[in-house]
Amino acid sequence: MGIADKIKEILGIQKYDLTTIEGIRAIPIPKKKKKYQNHDIRKDIEYILQRKATEYKRAGQMDLAIECLKKSNEIMPYSAYMYMASDYYRLVDFLKKARRFDEARVEKAKLDLMFNANGLRNDDANRIRKTPQQLAREFGTDLVEMDEHPCTCGECAKYQGRVFSLSGKSTKFPKIPDAFFIYGGIHEGCSHSFFPYFDGESKPTYHRNIVEYSNRPFVDNRTKAQKAEYEQAVEAAAEETKDRENYEWCWEYLGDIAPKSFSGYRRMKNSNSANFQKLCKAALEKGRDIQ
Ligand SMILES: [Zn+2]
Ligand SMILES: [Zn+2]
């Protein structure tokens, strides 16, 4: 490396050629995981590649966009930052968008091995299975506060907003459910978070009478309206999943008559427009009912 490159590297200025496929492919993959050093992740190459992918996509240069995401997917596991499954699966979406369906299937299969159904990395999911003592040591306290969602399932409603003891040894707060040590939540797929709580120092986030609240009976205290809202949200999510599958099928098998974006598809479906009827008919002719 020349002195100029060295200076660029120290200053965090990109020293890679992101304007050609060869240039992007030449970016080296780190040999080991980067340590978190309170640095600005926006200067990390995997982050720059993701931004660049967005730019290229907007400019219609899908091949370059895809190359950026391929490289970024290779580098992300070594990042100090924990990227989400959705950051990785973006590559699959881009490949489909570019009608590179076979490659999309290959990349998806690779990622499906890496992440479980909850979007957690399989190796992290295994790591979550820690003992109460290990977790308390990491948190610096035996107590955790569970956050509270206005729209939640009946099971989580029994538990949310309380402070729990990991070990169960606290005389003030109840023991956290065992599921926490398996799923990191109340059940598989639970989206609640748990934060360290320091008795006497932390201010409870949701309930001032936190000791009393934490020890209330474990019952679903949602109002009728909250239950209805939750049921609606579940239905809406199922509907969206179905629509997305149908849309992706149309995009792959009906070619140009499929709208360019999923939001466009949903608009035409919801208004049941003449074009949507046309799409339904074409789908049905190929054996799929998207109505
Ligand atoms: Zn739940
Ligand atoms: Zn939950």
Side-chain angles (χ1 to χ4, degrees), residues 146 149 152-153 155-157 160 185-187 189-194:
M146 179 171 170
H149 301 171
T152 190
C153 80
E155 198 52 24
C156 292
Q160 66 174 359
I186 298 303
H187 53 76
C190 165
S191 58
H192 282 86
S193 302
F194 296 78

Side-chain angles (χ1 to χ4, degrees), residues 46-47 49-55 57-58 62 65-66 68-70 72-73 76 84-97 111:
E46 65 278 13
Y47 184 84
L49 281 162
Q50 288 169 55
R51 294 281 305 277
K52 211 74 197 157
T54 308
E55 270 176 42
K57 183 179 177 227
R58 281 202 192 115
M62 287 307 283
I66 285 164
C68 285
L69 290 187
K70 273 191 178 169
S72 150
N73 273 13
M76 279 194 279
M84 301 285 174
S86 54
D87 297 313
Y88 287 84
Y89 280 94
R90 234 178 127 206
L91 171 62
V92 179
D93 290 338
F94 276 44
L95 284 165
K96 285 185 193 161
K97 188 109 200 145
L111 293 175

Side-chain angles (χ1 to χ4, degrees), residues 9-287:
E9 192 189 57
I10 291 164
L11 291 176
I13 299 167
Q14 65 182 57
K15 56 186 163 71
Y16 306 114
D17 173 18
L18 303 184
T19 63
T20 61
I21 286 178
E22 298 69 48
I24 297 163
R25 282 190 185 157
I27 298 169
I29 310 298
K31 289 197 176 56
K32 55 177 200 267
K33 208 169 160 67
K34 205 166 172 172
K35 276 217 174 71
Y36 182 73
Q37 290 169 315
N38 201 18
H39 67 289
D40 184 354
I41 71 145
R42 289 170 300 181
K43 291 199 174 121
D44 289 343
I45 184 65
E46 65 278 13
Y47 184 84
I48 295 168
L49 281 162
Q50 288 169 55
R51 294 281 305 277
K52 211 74 197 157
T54 308
E55 270 176 42
Y56 282 137
K57 183 179 177 227
R58 281 202 192 115
Q61 293 175 282
M62 287 307 283
D63 288 352
L64 283 169
I66 285 164
E67 216 53 48
C68 285
L69 290 187
K70 273 191 178 169
K71 185 56 80 171
S72 150
N73 273 13
E74 287 182 89
I75 299 178
M76 279 194 279
Y78 299 95
S79 168
Y81 178 76
M82 209 173 95
Y83 282 96
M84 301 285 174
S86 54
D87 297 313
Y88 287 84
Y89 280 94
R90 234 178 127 206
L91 171 62
V92 179
D93 290 338
F94 276 44
L95 284 165
K96 285 185 193 161
K97 188 109 200 145
R99 298 193 170 281
R100 288 159 65 171
F101 297 110
D102 289 335
E103 267 178 273
R105 273 185 269 275
V106 171
E107 294 296 338
K108 181 176 181 297
K110 275 197 241 166
L111 293 175
D112 288 348
L113 286 177
M114 221 165 127
F115 294 98
N116 68 18
N118 292 330
L120 289 171
R121 282 187 66 121
N122 284 323
D123 39 3
D124 287 329
N126 293 332
R127 243 182 280 137
I128 282 177
R129 295 190 176 92
K130 288 176 181 162
T131 66
Q133 291 73 25
Q134 281 169 322
L135 275 169
R137 215 175 303 130
E138 272 174 38
F139 284 148
T141 165
D142 178 50
L143 300 175
V144 288
E145 185 182 30
M146 179 171 170
D147 69 348
E148 204 167 287
H149 301 171
C151 188
T152 190
C153 80
E155 198 52 24
C156 292
K158 297 179 192 169
Y159 298 96
Q160 66 174 359
R162 303 180 194 237
V163 167
F164 292 102
S165 161
L166 295 166
S167 66
K169 286 188 181 134
S170 164
T171 51
K172 272 168 110 170
F173 296 104
K175 187 180 185 309
I176 199 158
D178 291 337
F180 179 75
F181 299 105
I182 302 166
Y183 307 117
I186 298 303
H187 53 76
E188 195 170 358
C190 165
S191 58
H192 282 86
S193 302
F194 296 78
F195 301 96
Y197 185 87
F198 299 90
D199 194 27
E201 290 169 49
S202 305
K203 216 172 129 213
T205 317
Y206 305 94
H207 302 281
R208 264 205 269 163
N209 56 339
I210 189 66
V211 178
E212 199 189 314
Y213 191 85
S214 300
N215 288 291
R216 77 180 175 89
F218 288 91
V219 289
D220 178 2
N221 62 345
R222 293 174 303 163
T223 62
K224 236 178 144 181
Q226 284 173 322
K227 284 180 190 170
E229 196 195 335
Y230 178 73
E231 294 309 322
Q232 265 173 22
V234 170
E235 269 173 42
E239 174 97 11
E240 180 168 343
T241 306
K242 203 186 86 201
D243 284 355
R244 193 173 282 281
E245 283 168 8
N246 282 335
Y247 170 65
E248 293 200 342
W249 183 90
C250 292
W251 177 250
E252 180 164 357
Y253 296 105
L254 300 182
D256 285 343
I257 67 164
K260 292 242 169 337
S261 71
F262 177 56
S263 55
Y265 173 81
R266 288 209 105 188
R267 264 196 306 277
M268 70 193 280
K269 177 180 174 258
N270 291 337
S271 66
N272 200 14
S273 68
N275 275 338
F276 184 68
Q277 287 303 322
K278 226 164 86 186
L279 200 65
C280 288
K281 207 168 149 257
L284 214 49
E285 275 164 19
K286 292 204 173 183

